[in-house]
Amino acid sequence: MTTSAQTLPLIKDPQRLENRLAEIPPEPGVYLMRDGSDRIIYVGKSRKLRSRVRSYFRESQKLTERIATMVRQVTEIEFIVTDTEAEALALEANLIKQHLPYFNVLLKDDKKYPYVCITWSEDYPRIYITRKRQLSNQKDKYYGPYTDSHLLREILRLCKQIFPLRQRPQPLFKDRPCLNFDLGRCPGVCQSLISPEEYRKIVQKVAMVFQGRSSELIDILTEQMHKQAELLNFEAAARFRDQINGLKSLSAEQKVSLPDDTVSRDAIALAADAQHACIQLFQIRAGKLVGRLAFVAEVPTLSSPSKEGGLMGAILQRVLEEHYQTAEAVEIPTEILVQYELPEPEILADVLTQRKGRKVTILAPQRQTKAELIEMVERNAQYELQRMQKLSDRNQQAMEDLAAILDLPELPHRIEGYDISHIQGANAVASQVVFIDGLPAKQHYRHYKIKNPTVTVGHSDDFASLAEVIRRRFRKYADAPQLQRTGNSDWPDLIMIDGGKGQLSSVVAVLQEMNLLEDLRVISLAKKREEIFLPGESKPLTTDAEQPGVQLLRRLRDEAHRFAVSFHRQQRSDKLRRSRLDEIPGLGHHRQKQLLGHFRSVDYIRQATPTQLAEVPGIGPRLAQEIYDYFHPS
């Protein structure tokens, strides 16, 4: 739909507002608020849409400053009716992720907190730690985010000692398992010595550890140990005994002092400043703290954290909805303790009750033991906020120092760094890394293969390579002068070249040729003495290598170097792997990828029979025989 820029806000057009409110049904669903630019600025849910939306426009309704500001901008209201409140909750979460409305609480994807992923979509599920939660398959499951990455890695390492799990991402040998199988640490996944069904049973036991169900798992293993002992199968009983002992040592966390140790509960609290809220969620099972998760929410409109109780409750509700959306029924506790009253606790409690099959209660305790537990969680959130503030202050100081060094009119929001990597001209590549507000923004990283025909084995030219990369990076701006440069999120405030005066001069020349030099600020950082060179200056700036602004440039330079070297190694490895395959007639690049994806290495391809080669997609019997004959000349 298209909304005219002259459309009045609904609050200033009572007749149109009343007509629109009358159209909204009293059913569960989701509502979307749009402003005069047709942007979605808020997404909400309700068990009764009409009553909820109408409450925003009642004069008697006391709204927070944030919501009142939002209401004054609303020019259109849309709604989507759902069959159940659970569907409304899930739809709201999806719409918030899709549209990122300004007045909604937005969880920040903070890469410093790791997750554990179990790939249930695969026949033999993998278990690994990651900082990127990208759900490519609905069957895969993420646990976390966890606050202590060192402890998380230790838990996963112990799990691999307690249970026989796949120890290597790729097989070490083609026709036999490695030593881990003989030691009993791996069930022989690489050679399919265990069925997918049996292996999934083992992984399900590991998943119980990350679900906070270690005590339940110990009870199951104890029962199996006794059964094996009754059958006089003492070796199997001993294995179960060792697993039980390992789990007991793993779950020996500090006991939380609560009188009803049989109740499973989660406790959530936060600490906030004017920009961010740090949230901590403690998972307590049978009186033991089995997990401590962390979240970060952006709070752009928070002016007085201590007085904005409604906003704090909205943040907690958003975190809980996001956390429990993918949780299994056994992971949902029967009691959730919250620091602030939630704005819509009934919907969340009803949905969780339906999924768990037991009543789930949400409480905001005010006194006694449970309130003390919330205070402990809040203290941990405060410590995390203080750590974030220290990092932010340090980063702010570095950007201010850099702006002062380079005499920039304002702090550099987007800084790009470039570097070249090769071995005597072979496999020459370049990297482009991006720092946003002084922090790495890896989603904007780019790498380039150098196409200059003069850059060959034995003949390198870093000056020409950098000029090529800069030309390719900013070509669209030179080709389209009408393209707005200022205010563009893709336009850098500062460009840093890894090198000295020569590298900088080559980049300056190409920017002059493209008529972009006046609009771009470009510098170079020489490695030897960490000297900063400016265009047209023969001497470097007077700086200290240890001052904050120079350290920021060094971090950018080191990241550009790392990214370039890793891409160069990848290109070199691919070339070495394909060097022999390139000599086989009829075997193009795509079929080479198919072969290497199937056999993993050229050595395995050499050992394969024509029949095995023909099993690869795209490799027929005729080409398979040619490949075999190439490696086995008569």
Side-chain angles (χ1 to χ4, degrees):
M1 60 172 286
T2 302
T3 304
S4 171
Q6 287 75 33
T7 302
L8 288 174
L10 288 174
I11 200 170
K12 294 183 178 181
D13 192 344
Q15 186 59 48
R16 191 163 65 90
L17 172 61
E18 189 58 36
N19 293 339
R20 189 57 178 147
L21 293 177
E23 297 171 353
I24 301 176
E27 298 183 33
V30 173
Y31 55 92
L32 300 91
M33 307 285 200
R34 292 183 180 270
D35 66 3
S37 301
D38 200 34
R39 293 174 301 183
I40 295 175
I41 59 175
Y42 189 77
V43 176
K45 64 181 177 306
S46 177
R47 58 174 63 185
K48 291 184 179 180
L49 283 171
R50 178 182 296 170
S51 300
R52 177 61 188 222
V53 176
R54 188 177 289 274
S55 68
Y56 287 102
F57 300 93
R58 291 197 189 103
E59 294 184 0
S60 59
Q61 185 73 22
K62 294 183 178 180
L63 302 175
T64 65
E65 180 182 348
R66 178 178 67 99
I67 297 300
T69 302
M70 183 261 305
V71 170
R72 289 194 292 268
Q73 299 180 27
V74 175
T75 60
E76 184 56 82
I77 304 171
E78 298 179 6
F79 62 87
I80 302 173
V81 175
T82 59
D83 292 332
T84 64
E85 297 164 6
E87 291 179 0
L89 190 151
L91 178 58
E92 181 202 35
N94 292 335
L95 290 174
I96 289 175
K97 290 178 184 177
Q98 178 182 351
H99 297 289
L100 301 177
Y102 180 78
F103 288 97
N104 279 97
V105 174
L106 302 178
L107 297 185
K108 187 178 179 183
D109 185 17
D110 199 333
K111 300 296 190 298
K112 70 179 180 179
Y113 295 134
Y115 293 84
V116 169
C117 179
I118 301 182
T119 57
W120 294 109
S121 58
E122 301 176 2
D123 290 338
Y124 294 96
R126 293 175 293 122
I127 307 174
Y128 62 92
I129 296 174
T130 179
R131 294 179 188 269
K132 295 181 180 180
R133 186 177 180 180
Q134 298 175 341
L135 196 62
S136 57
N137 193 297
Q138 293 296 328
K139 294 182 180 180
D140 295 342
K141 177 69 174 142
Y142 285 86
Y143 301 92
Y146 294 93
T147 57
D148 192 333
S149 60
H150 176 74
L151 178 60
L152 179 60
R153 294 180 189 281
E154 182 67 14
I155 291 174
L156 188 57
R157 185 186 67 81
L158 290 174
C159 285
K160 290 186 175 182
Q161 289 183 356
I162 297 169
F163 299 101
L165 295 168
R166 178 168 56 181
Q167 303 290 327
R168 303 179 61 87
Q170 299 295 341
L172 188 61
F173 307 106
K174 182 184 178 183
D175 54 352
R176 61 185 175 89
C178 64
L179 187 60
N180 285 313
F181 176 76
D182 299 314
L183 295 175
R185 298 184 61 186
C186 175
V189 172
C190 61
Q191 304 300 319
S192 300
L193 299 179
I194 182 174
S195 67
E197 293 76 16
E198 291 299 318
Y199 187 73
R200 292 174 78 89
K201 291 179 182 178
I202 298 174
V203 178
Q204 285 169 355
K205 293 177 181 178
V206 178
M208 292 177 71
V209 174
F210 295 105
Q211 292 169 348
R213 302 165 61 199
S214 296
S215 299
E216 182 182 341
L217 178 57
I218 289 174
D219 293 339
I220 294 172
L221 295 177
T222 301
E223 182 180 351
Q224 294 177 345
M225 179 184 68
H226 290 154
K227 285 184 179 179
Q228 294 298 327
E230 291 174 1
L231 297 173
L232 304 181
N233 191 352
F234 298 116
E235 290 185 2
R239 285 195 296 270
F240 285 122
R241 178 203 60 199
D242 294 340
Q243 291 176 356
I244 292 168
N245 292 336
L247 285 169
K248 286 181 178 178
S249 65
L250 186 62
S251 59
E253 295 94 349
Q254 180 180 2
K255 196 175 178 71
V256 178
S257 177
L258 287 174
D260 47 352
D261 289 349
T262 58
V263 176
S264 65
R265 54 169 57 88
D266 284 354
I268 186 170
L270 60 80
D273 59 14
Q275 286 83 34
H276 298 98
C278 289
I279 304 101
Q280 296 266 310
L281 190 148
F282 279 30
Q283 299 172 308
I284 301 163
R285 306 293 182 264
K288 291 183 179 179
L289 178 62
V290 300
R292 185 163 71 101
L293 309 183
F295 306 85
V296 177
E298 294 183 350
V299 193
T301 57
L302 185 60
S303 57
S304 179
S306 60
K307 298 179 181 179
E308 286 277 359
L311 177 57
M312 297 300 184
I315 292 173
L316 295 181
Q317 173 134 0
R318 179 78 181 91
V319 170
L320 291 174
E321 291 171 352
E322 175 76 14
H323 172 63
Y324 293 122
Q325 187 177 18
T326 58
E328 299 178 19
V330 294
E331 300 174 56
I332 300 174
T334 55
E335 186 176 86
I336 302 172
L337 305 180
V338 297
Q339 179 186 17
Y340 294 93
E341 292 283 353
L342 305 186
E344 296 174 310
E346 301 86 3
I347 292 181
L348 180 60
D350 291 347
V351 170
L352 296 181
T353 297
Q354 293 174 11
R355 290 178 54 193
K356 187 170 182 63
R358 292 179 57 189
K359 183 173 178 58
V360 176
T361 306
I362 301 177
L363 300 173
Q366 303 298 322
R367 60 176 66 88
Q368 296 181 347
T369 310
K370 294 180 180 179
E372 293 174 359
L373 175 60
I374 287 294
E375 290 177 4
M376 181 182 71
V377 180
E378 182 183 358
R379 284 200 305 274
N380 282 271
Q382 189 66 47
Y383 291 139
E384 189 64 25
L385 179 63
Q386 290 172 2
R387 283 195 291 269
M388 178 180 287
Q389 288 172 336
K390 286 181 181 178
L391 292 173
S392 177
D393 292 344
R394 192 181 309 158
N395 192 57
Q396 181 75 8
Q397 182 184 2
M399 289 195 296
E400 290 175 355
D401 186 51
L402 180 61
I405 292 172
L406 301 177
D407 194 24
L408 300 176
E410 56 188 22
L411 298 185
H413 170 65
R414 179 185 175 111
I415 311 176
E416 294 183 359
Y418 293 86
D419 191 18
I420 303 294
S421 181
H422 58 84
I423 295 180
Q424 296 182 344
N427 303 115
V429 298
S431 65
Q432 170 199 330
V433 301
V434 180
F435 277 23
I436 301 293
D437 294 330
L439 298 174
K442 295 189 177 181
Q443 69 272 24
H444 299 302
Y445 284 19
R446 298 290 182 269
H447 49 234
Y448 301 83
K449 294 180 183 178
I450 300 303
K451 299 179 180 180
N452 192 329
T454 64
V455 178
T456 59
V457 178
H459 184 271
S460 62
D461 190 339
D462 288 359
F463 299 165
S465 297
L466 282 168
E468 175 191 330
V469 170
I470 294 298
R471 185 185 300 277
R472 289 163 62 182
R473 164 66 176 90
F474 295 100
R475 180 170 47 204
K476 64 180 179 181
Y477 296 102
D479 294 342
Q482 74 279 8
L483 192 63
Q484 184 180 2
R485 297 168 186 172
T486 58
N488 192 324
S489 61
D490 189 42
W491 187 260
D493 300 302
L494 179 65
I495 296 175
M496 188 216 67
I497 305 300
D498 182 12
K501 291 184 290 185
Q503 286 86 346
L504 180 61
S505 298
S506 64
V507 170
V508 167
V510 74
L511 289 176
Q512 284 179 327
E513 181 185 332
M514 300 170 74
N515 295 320
L516 297 177
L517 185 59
E518 293 183 0
D519 300 315
L520 284 169
R521 189 66 183 268
V522 57
I523 63 172
S524 69
L525 182 66
K527 285 191 179 75
K528 190 173 182 180
R529 298 179 182 175
E530 309 296 358
E531 296 174 326
I532 301 174
F533 288 91
L534 301 180
E537 300 290 338
S538 59
K539 294 183 179 180
L541 294 176
T542 304
T543 57
D544 182 354
E546 299 304 321
Q547 68 183 97
V550 180
Q551 287 184 339
L552 176 59
L553 291 179
R554 288 167 60 183
R555 290 197 297 272
L556 178 70
R557 189 267 316 282
D558 293 344
E559 181 68 355
H561 180 71
R562 180 201 63 80
F563 194 55
V565 169
S566 62
F567 184 54
H568 168 71
R569 287 173 178 166
Q570 175 189 335
Q571 295 299 306
R572 189 177 62 193
S573 175
D574 289 347
K575 185 174 182 179
L576 289 173
R577 288 203 303 171
R578 294 196 176 98
S579 59
R580 296 205 64 186
L581 298 181
D582 286 334
E583 301 173 7
I584 303 176
L587 193 61
H589 178 72
H590 177 70
R591 287 174 173 172
Q592 289 180 25
K593 287 179 63 178
Q594 296 286 86
L595 277 171
L596 289 170
H598 185 84
F599 289 102
R600 302 296 180 185
S601 75
V602 176
D603 290 335
Y604 287 164
I605 296 174
R606 184 190 298 110
Q607 298 171 16
T609 65
T611 303
Q612 292 171 327
L613 291 168
E615 294 175 356
V616 180
I619 307 295
R622 189 178 195 179
L623 183 55
Q625 188 63 48
E626 290 183 9
I627 298 171
Y628 182 83
D629 292 341
Y630 172 80
F631 287 110
H632 303 86
S634 55

